[in-house]
Amino acid sequence: QVQLVESGGELVQTGGSLRLSCAASGRTFTSYAVGWFRQAPGKEREFVAGITYNSGVRNYADSAKGRFTISRVNSQNTVYLQMNSLKPEDTAVYYCAAVYSLQTTLPELHEYRYWGQGTQVTVSS
């Protein structure tokens, strides 16, 4: 098993920044693709950003492009999501997810096997 724990979510004003962390334990993290997802009340869970095992491919939802940056430090078993220029529409519970994959393309949402508990991000207007 792989255990994932998110942290860094909090209340922030519009235009502010947050850095979310996803810390993994239980297995070697090097060979896992990782994604960030979010879910607002009454909404479906949606993709935010993803990164392949070697950081060769990074992808972002249109709503995140130019504002969010995903990165990873495999030696620390940690993936980060830097969020800048936050908007009220970014308010949601943010989850990280992982799946063993050496592919150069990112998995689909349903393919992620391991999920964290989520961290709340609230952006006030």
Side-chain angles (χ1 to χ4, degrees), residues 38-108:
R38 67 187 183 189
Q39 188 166 24
K43 304 293 185 179
E44 295 183 355
R45 188 167 299 185
E46 65 176 355
F47 170 80
V48 177
I51 188 167
T52 54
Y53 74 104
N54 63 349
S55 300
V57 175
R58 299 179 177 90
N59 197 21
Y60 301 91
D62 288 341
S63 61
K65 289 179 180 177
R67 300 189 299 126
F68 294 3
T69 302
I70 188 170
S71 62
R72 68 191 297 164
V73 182
N74 284 343
S75 62
Q76 298 177 358
N77 284 347
T78 303
V79 172
Y80 302 98
L81 183 67
Q82 177 67 45
M83 304 187 295
N84 299 325
S85 302
L86 284 163
K87 308 172 182 178
E89 306 90 86
D90 297 317
T91 295
V93 177
Y94 283 70
Y95 301 88
C96 67
V99 64
Y100 183 88
S101 176
L102 300 180
Q103 298 292 320
T104 56
T105 57
L106 287 166
E108 301 294 329

